[in-house]
Structures are given as structure tokens and as C-alpha cells.
Amino acid sequence: MHQSIRKSLIAVPFALVLLVPAARGEADALPPSISNARAQLLSQFFAQGGASPAVLEYRRKLQEYQAARAAFDEEAGAYWSQISEKRKGRNAKRRSGQQITLDDYVLEHPPVYTGPKRPVDPEPEETPDRPTKKPIPVVADLLRAAQDLYQFTPQRPSSEVEFKRAYARYALASGLTREQAVRVYSFETGGTGSYDVQAGIEHGGKRAISTAIGYNQLLTTNSVELLAEQGHEFIRALSDKVARTSGPARQALEYKLAVLKKMVAHAKSVPDTWSEHEKIGNTAQGWAMHAMVLDVDVGPMLQTHKLLTSVLFARAKGYTRPLTAAELEMMNLTGDGTGLDMVTMPQAMREQVPTSNFFQRGGYERNPVAIRHNTVAKLLAVTDDRMDSNSSKPGARELAAAF
């Protein structure tokens, strides 16, 4: 309040100060025309709240911006409501076994805001400092959480090749193809990523931008969800390895198996929904579970099932043709249900259907790739192109050799 008053006083134009009479006699001595003009200026000034010309211009531009933005938001709101309604209609038709046609999609692209930019306030109000964002956990935090909560340290591979070979063995045995695994790895990591690479801390990056780690970039929530839904398979596979091992190595594996069982039990202790798994993923317990992506035995299983669940989902929905790597990546990126919507679409429809049909408004407006490559066909094509170029890089060639 005091700050606003101070700014208003400072903003008084110097010319108006000169118009204020030093004494009553001086005012009486002025010609009526000058006296009236002075009174008019003072009246206008105070009617405008004591604002300076710069502030008045800002207010004018702000009104123009707000009017243009309101008109755009009304148009965009109607568009995205239509997107939502069409999506509900497609889901209903699928449940009843009806065929999906072009009429079940919005075929226009989203409106684009072309109005004026929001003007900059020449006299901004002081705002309180924003609360500090919670830091994103990195590998060191995951390892600390695993040790603190489970008294466990993941068994890291002796080399990158060792992890790649373990991944290749498990992926092939589980039903993934070499092409799917290598090309998705090429897309997700740029063809050079290591088993412990984290989003943002790669290619010279210094700061983590998410908890996504490894060949297929699992988030903490992915790890919790996979432990909850596929934990029985992980336990079975690790139990088989324990049975084939002897000596000190067996004792270490038995302890790892016991920890894995505890993690699976914790992951299953909440309803099997993404939101509930996300709550765990944002705690130290979720970080400890996520540390398993670094383990040479469990990590390859987590990375494999991140993709395999999509393959099995498509198969369960009656899609028997093998998924291309680009199609699998669409399901990996957008979720199985949304991705399958794109995958099952005939090529002729892919050429016409905008990518906006598969996003919420906020997600679409933050996704320059989907905006630039704005049909299903274009989005799949650019994904394939990126896979092509990155598959020749050292990490991708090394993974291909491991298969």
C-alpha cells in the first residue's frame, strides 16, 4: 500500500507541479484561459488516478490484450471441448465394437493466438518471492533412499556392455524385437545414452529436468507402477536366477530378492492407479524403488516391461500385427490407450487426422513437435526419421550388437 502511494506521487508529471500556484494571489493574477486550462489538466490527472503517461499507455494496451485473449480463449475452449467429446465418442464406439471413421475425429487444427502480446507493466507491483521448487531427485538421491529404507544398494554393472547384454537377453526372451528395442533406445536417448542416463543430465546438460532414467526413460511413477503390476514376473525371474547360483553370489541375490519382494508389496499396497503410484513416486520410498532401474538384474526387466506392456496391451485389444518401433514409441509417449488410437488408424486417415486429437490442451500447447508435425502421419514420420539418424550412433550400435 505504502509502495503504491509512493509510486503515484513520484509519477506526478512535473508540468502539473508547475501549474500548482505558490499562493492564492498568484492564482487570481492568472488570465482565465490559463487558469481554466490548469484546472482541466489537474482534473484529468486526478480522474486518471494520478497515472503517468507510460502507465496510461500500458493500461490501454493491456485492455487490448485482454480483449484479444478472451476472444481467443473462447474459440480455443470450444475447440478443445469438441476434442474431448470426440474422444469420449470413440471410446464408446470401441467398447461396443463399432468401427472408427474420420467423423470420429476433429479434422481442423487448433486455433492459434495471433493477437497482441501482453504488455510489460512500467511500474510493476512488488510480488512476494515464489516458493523454491522442490529439487528433482538424481541418482545419488535414489541410492541414498534405497540404502536408508531397504538397506540395499543396487548391483551396478561392471560396464555398459554388461547392462546392454542383460537387457537384450531379457527383452528377446520376453517378446520384444531387436528393432523395437534399439530404435526406441535411439529415440529416447539420442543413440548414446547409458543405463543410468537421466533426462537433462545428458549431452552436456547439467540439471535434471525429470526423473526419467535409462534406455526407455522410466519415471519414478513408471517404476512404482511396474513393480505393482509386473512384480510377480520380476520375482519369478530373479528366483530362477537365485536357483541357478551358488556361493556368495547366491547370498547376495537372495538378499536382493527379499528387498524386491518388499518393494513389490509396498507398490501393491495402494489402488492400482497412476495417481496413487505417482504419490509413492514422489516420496523417498518411490525413489528407493526407482533405484532398481540401476540394478543389473532388475533394471533390464523394468526397461523391458516399460515397452512390453504396450505390446501386450495392443495384442489384448486385438491388434495382432507387430508394432513398428515408431508405433511403439507413440504408445510409450502418450499412453497405451491414446497410442493405440493412432496405431490402429489406416494410413489414409493418418494423413488427415490432426495430432491435437490425442492431447489435452495444456500438453499439446507445450509440445512443439506435435504442433509442428501436426498430423498422425507427420508425427510418426518424424519419429522414424529421428530413429534412423540416431541408430547409427555408438550406443545404438553397441545395443544392436548385444542382441
Side-chain angles (χ1 to χ4, degrees):
M1 179 70 177
H2 294 301
Q3 183 70 9
S4 298
I5 293 172
R6 182 183 65 80
K7 287 183 177 179
S8 295
L9 290 173
I10 292 173
V12 175
F14 185 62
L16 291 176
V17 176
L18 294 179
L19 288 172
V20 177
R24 175 71 180 167
E26 179 185 342
D28 294 338
L30 290 172
S33 60
I34 296 177
S35 179
N36 291 339
R38 181 188 64 191
Q40 186 177 1
L41 282 172
L42 285 170
S43 176
Q44 290 176 352
F45 173 70
F46 288 112
Q48 293 163 350
S52 68
V55 169
L56 293 174
E57 178 66 7
Y58 161 73
R59 290 176 182 171
R60 183 186 67 77
K61 289 183 176 179
L62 180 61
Q63 287 180 343
E64 290 180 355
Y65 164 78
Q66 289 172 334
R69 192 74 208 188
F72 168 75
D73 284 338
E74 183 176 357
E75 182 185 5
Y79 177 88
W80 288 102
S81 293
Q82 189 182 12
I83 288 285
S84 178
E85 289 304 312
K86 290 283 189 179
R87 184 181 296 119
K88 291 176 184 177
R90 292 196 301 276
N91 290 339
K93 289 183 74 171
R94 285 195 182 89
R95 285 194 295 270
S96 61
Q98 298 179 59
Q99 185 176 357
I100 305 298
T101 68
L102 272 177
D103 290 337
D104 296 307
Y105 297 92
V106 177
L107 300 182
E108 297 79 27
H109 295 287
V112 177
Y113 179 71
T114 57
K117 293 182 180 179
R118 186 183 187 94
V120 177
D121 189 345
E123 297 179 0
E125 292 290 332
E126 290 186 1
T127 56
D129 292 336
R130 291 182 179 179
T132 304
K133 285 185 178 181
K134 197 173 182 180
I136 294 171
V138 294
V139 167
D141 299 310
L142 308 182
L143 294 174
R144 190 180 305 113
Q147 185 57 234
D148 290 345
L149 296 179
Y150 293 95
Q151 294 74 55
F152 175 74
T153 298
Q155 180 186 349
R156 311 286 285 270
S158 59
S159 66
E160 186 65 30
V161 171
E162 181 185 6
F163 196 97
K164 282 187 168 73
R165 287 173 178 163
Y167 174 52
R169 283 195 302 271
Y170 188 81
L172 281 174
S174 300
L176 285 184
T177 68
R178 168 178 158 173
E179 180 193 24
Q180 288 170 330
V182 174
R183 288 176 69 80
V184 171
Y185 162 88
S186 299
F187 183 88
E188 290 284 357
T189 73
T192 59
S194 59
Y195 75 95
D196 57 356
V197 66
Q198 184 167 357
I201 310 177
E202 56 189 346
H203 310 304
K206 303 295 183 184
R207 183 177 61 85
I209 59 174
S210 82
T211 59
I213 291 179
Y215 298 165
N216 299 321
Q217 292 289 279
L218 277 72
L219 299 166
T220 50
T221 310
N222 291 131
S223 292
V224 176
E225 186 149 280
L226 287 169
L227 286 168
E229 296 176 353
Q230 308 298 326
H232 61 284
E233 164 60 22
F234 301 161
I235 290 170
R236 183 201 62 76
L238 193 58
S239 297
D240 288 347
K241 185 167 185 178
V242 169
R244 300 192 304 270
T245 310
S246 60
R250 178 173 180 138
Q251 291 179 342
L253 280 175
E254 286 175 339
Y255 185 74
K256 184 187 299 187
L257 178 60
V259 170
L260 178 62
K261 289 178 178 179
K262 289 180 182 179
M263 289 183 174
V264 170
H266 287 153
K268 287 179 175 290
S269 67
V270 300
D272 186 12
T273 65
W274 179 267
S275 60
E276 290 297 321
H277 295 150
E278 186 176 34
K279 289 178 185 176
I280 296 178
N282 289 329
T283 67
Q285 190 174 87
W287 298 1
M289 295 178 185
H290 198 38
M292 278 296 194
V293 300
L294 309 170
D295 185 85
V296 72
D297 292 312
V298 182
M301 292 191 279
L302 285 165
Q303 295 290 349
T304 293
H305 280 271
K306 176 65 160 60
L307 303 183
L308 188 62
T309 51
S310 296
V311 173
L312 297 177
F313 179 87
R315 197 175 297 162
K317 295 295 183 180
Y319 191 79
T320 56
R321 183 178 65 77
L323 294 169
T324 69
E327 290 171 341
L328 181 54
E329 181 59 31
M330 286 301 103
M331 298 180 71
N332 189 33
L333 283 174
T334 65
D336 289 338
T338 300
L340 189 64
D341 195 355
M342 287 188 267
V343 166
T344 55
M345 191 180 296
Q347 183 62 32
M349 288 176 62
R350 291 181 180 184
E351 301 283 351
Q352 299 179 65
V353 176
T355 55
S356 53
N357 283 274
F358 311 99
F359 290 85
Q360 301 294 330
R361 178 180 176 181
Y364 181 83
E365 291 177 347
R366 291 191 301 269
N367 192 324
V369 176
I371 293 173
R372 191 177 306 117
H373 307 280
N374 58 9
T375 66
V376 173
K378 289 178 181 177
L379 189 58
L380 285 166
V382 73
T383 302
D384 257 327
D385 288 346
R386 190 170 299 178
M387 288 176 171
D388 288 341
S389 61
N390 291 340
S391 291
S392 61
K393 293 182 179 177
R397 291 202 306 271
E398 188 174 72
L399 181 58
F403 276 83

